Amino acid sequence: MTPTPTPTTDRRRERHTAKLATIVAEAWALARRDGLAAISLRELADQVGLRQPSLYAYFDSKLALYDAMFADGNRQLIEVITALPERDDPREGLVELVEELTRFSSADTVRHQLLFQRTIPGFEPSPASYAVAQEFYAIGQKRLVSAGVSDPGDLDIFTALVSGLTHQQVANDPGGDRWVQQSRRVVEMYLAEIGRSTKAPSTVRKSPSRKAPK
Amino acid sequence: MTPTPTPTTDRRRERHTAKLATIVAEAWALARRDGLAAISLRELADQVGLRQPSLYAYFDSKLALYDAMFADGNRQLIEVITALPERDDPREGLVELVEELTRFSSADTVRHQLLFQRTIPGFEPSPASYAVAQEFYAIGQKRLVSAGVSDPGDLDIFTALVSGLTHQQVANDPGGDRWVQQSRRVVEMYLAEIGRSTKAPSTVRKSPSRKAPK
DNA sequence: GTCTATACATCGATAGAC
DNA sequence: GTCTATCGATGTATAGAC
């Protein structure tokens, strides 16, 4: 997903990358003000001291801009969770992880939208950007395993818990901490359930679904 | 949020309302095909045999169309959950409620987006439409109270669980039932936690009932 | 790389005739 | 209510000067 002509010399490449970062940062600012889907390329260009066609030296299209923002947001996410202090008790570490993720979403609604909701028609992360998202996912999964969670179903439940807390936080108390406060209890509730089921790992309860499983 | 000039005679009002319903239905179809934000008023008008400006006889703006869709989706939601069979055990009823809500979201991604995510820039439900959403919320809360949940914090956790299951279902397995299948276990996990925290722990079933819902 | 200039298709929205 | 005609703004894209 390289833009148009990638700069040749190191010096030029450096400036190119720097300018690209300011464009992405300004795009975030516009998205926060008007909404993610309402970013105007002409206004974005103005904000970074360029004319609209010049943006095409950095992005092939508007979707490519969203792609860069997607990767950028996921890098922020990785940065935040890797900065968390190590805990002897992996369960306590899990609590803090979930609290931090909920805070992260609460801090920036549109960032949460781009990263976790499919809100832009036609947008799909490029392989490179998707790899960043998977890196985050791998880190989270590793912490889960440390806390003794390995069953796929258990993992699905955990992702549901986290996405539920973050979504409610963003939707009903953006900038606040109403669901951040519930994170500890939710994680402890979850770990209690996991501990309950690991005694008999063979018998997996399944919901009487009306649809036949695939 | 009445459109432009509300029809005067009963006959005209009737046709107006009927046509309005077909417009909303066709808007859903377009949204399913191209995405919620990608609805084109010109194409919508074509689909219902009108020219684009004529749509303004039914909606003051595009946002007013979204508002009508929002109310419509919430009415569908109320219809679905009120159609659920009565259960002697309110806990079993809660399980089925959550399963049904997750199925509801899985069945229509864009409907879930409009109802539960803030994805359209500038859109905010009108008081009339918001009242429909609150009616749904009141029904859900009533069932929760029947199951012995009344604490506000407990309620916040429940909404997080439901929104998490539905969101994961929509985002990662649209049309499927991967998180629908986890609904029972999540609800039982939740009820166990509630029972643990209440001062007077009632009879908590240790093992879940295998009673099939239907 | 960035500019000016221009082009095209599409969009939501409005004015005014009927 | 529905139409035609039109508006301003948008995203997208290209050509060519510097």
Side-chain angles (χ1 to χ4, degrees):
Chain A
M1 279 296 144
T2 314
T4 3
T6 307
T8 43
T9 78
D10 287 0
R11 194 108 64 208
R12 278 170 186 254
R13 182 169 303 166
E14 195 174 296
R15 289 209 304 185
H16 185 91
T17 308
K19 187 93 182 181
L20 204 146
T22 73
I23 294 175
V24 169
E26 194 56 44
W28 280 124
L30 289 180
R32 266 178 242 117
R33 197 193 64 187
D34 300 330
L36 202 53
I39 295 178
S40 157
L41 293 188
R42 283 179 171 86
E43 186 171 12
L44 175 58
D46 278 359
Q47 296 285 356
V48 297
L50 289 178
R51 300 296 181 163
Q52 175 256 332
S54 304
L55 283 180
Y56 283 80
Y58 299 92
F59 301 100
D60 284 337
S61 68
K62 195 181 184 182
L63 289 183
L65 169 66
Y66 286 123
D67 192 58
M69 295 170 74
F70 180 83
D72 181 57
N74 274 288
R75 271 185 230 105
Q76 294 176 32
L77 191 50
I78 292 174
E79 191 177 355
V80 162
I81 67 170
T82 53
L84 284 174
E86 291 281 331
R87 293 286 170 225
D88 291 339
D89 182 2
R91 289 159 168 256
E92 178 62 24
L94 214 57
V95 169
E96 292 181 14
L97 172 66
V98 173
E99 284 178 344
E100 195 61 31
L101 291 178
T102 313
R103 262 188 232 107
F104 183 86
S105 290
S106 183
D108 193 333
T109 300
V110 293
R111 186 178 56 185
H112 177 261
Q113 265 181 25
L114 183 60
L115 264 53
F116 302 112
Q117 300 176 354
R118 282 284 177 273
T119 175
I120 303 294
F123 169 65
E124 204 161 350
S126 65
S129 295
Y130 190 66
V132 183
Q134 289 218 301
E135 185 183 342
F136 155 69
Y137 185 75
I139 294 173
Q141 189 171 354
K142 191 177 151 200
R143 306 235 179 156
L144 258 186
V145 171
S146 299
V149 180
S150 56
D151 177 75
D154 292 350
L155 210 150
D156 279 353
I157 292 183
F158 185 78
T159 62
L161 298 186
V162 173
S163 92
L165 286 168
T166 56
H167 177 264
Q168 287 297 98
Q169 184 60 56
V170 160
N172 300 312
D173 185 35
D177 69 342
R178 186 166 152 192
W179 277 268
V180 175
Q181 290 185 335
Q182 303 293 346
S183 299
R184 173 174 297 273
R185 195 164 163 220
V186 166
V187 172
E188 285 169 353
M189 168 184 75
Y190 171 73
L191 290 173
E193 167 66 21
I194 299 303
R196 216 173 298 136
S197 73
T198 42
K199 296 166 193 168
S202 55
T203 49
V204 178
R205 270 194 304 261
K206 100 180 155 184
S207 158
S209 168
R210 287 174 193 176
K211 285 181 185 173
K214 289 180 235 180
Chain B
M1 277 295 148
T2 314
T4 4
T6 307
T8 42
T9 77
D10 286 1
R11 192 99 73 202
R12 279 170 185 254
R13 184 169 303 166
E14 197 174 293
R15 289 207 305 182
H16 186 92
T17 307
K19 186 96 182 178
L20 205 145
T22 73
I23 294 175
V24 169
E26 195 56 44
W28 280 124
L30 289 180
R32 266 178 242 117
R33 200 194 62 186
D34 299 331
L36 202 53
I39 295 177
S40 157
L41 293 188
R42 280 178 173 84
E43 187 169 13
L44 176 58
D46 279 358
Q47 297 284 358
V48 297
L50 289 177
R51 301 293 185 165
Q52 174 254 332
S54 303
L55 284 179
Y56 284 81
Y58 298 92
F59 301 99
D60 284 338
S61 69
K62 195 180 185 182
L63 290 183
L65 169 66
Y66 286 124
D67 192 58
M69 296 171 74
F70 179 84
D72 181 56
N74 275 287
R75 270 184 230 106
Q76 294 177 32
L77 191 49
I78 292 173
E79 191 177 354
V80 161
I81 67 171
T82 54
L84 283 174
E86 290 280 331
R87 292 288 169 223
D88 293 339
D89 182 2
R91 287 157 168 258
E92 178 61 25
L94 214 57
V95 169
E96 292 181 16
L97 172 66
V98 173
E99 284 179 344
E100 195 61 31
L101 291 177
T102 313
R103 265 188 228 105
F104 183 85
S105 290
S106 184
D108 193 335
T109 300
V110 294
R111 186 178 58 187
H112 176 261
Q113 266 181 23
L114 183 59
L115 265 52
F116 302 113
Q117 299 176 355
R118 282 284 177 274
T119 176
I120 303 293
F123 169 65
E124 203 160 351
S126 65
S129 296
Y130 190 65
V132 184
Q134 290 218 300
E135 186 184 341
F136 155 69
Y137 185 75
I139 294 173
Q141 189 170 355
K142 191 178 152 200
R143 306 235 178 156
L144 257 186
V145 170
S146 299
V149 179
S150 56
D151 177 74
D154 293 349
L155 209 151
D156 280 351
I157 292 183
F158 185 78
T159 62
L161 298 187
V162 173
S163 91
L165 286 167
T166 56
H167 177 264
Q168 286 298 97
Q169 184 59 57
V170 161
N172 300 313
D173 185 35
D177 68 343
R178 184 166 155 192
W179 276 269
V180 175
Q181 290 188 337
Q182 303 294 345
S183 298
R184 173 174 296 273
R185 195 164 162 217
V186 166
V187 172
E188 286 168 353
M189 168 184 76
Y190 171 73
L191 290 173
E193 167 66 23
I194 300 303
R196 217 172 297 135
S197 71
T198 44
K199 311 125 196 169
S202 56
T203 57
V204 180
R205 260 207 304 267
K206 206 170 147 193
S207 190
S209 138
R210 292 300 306 267
K211 209 180 280 184
K214 187 147 196 144

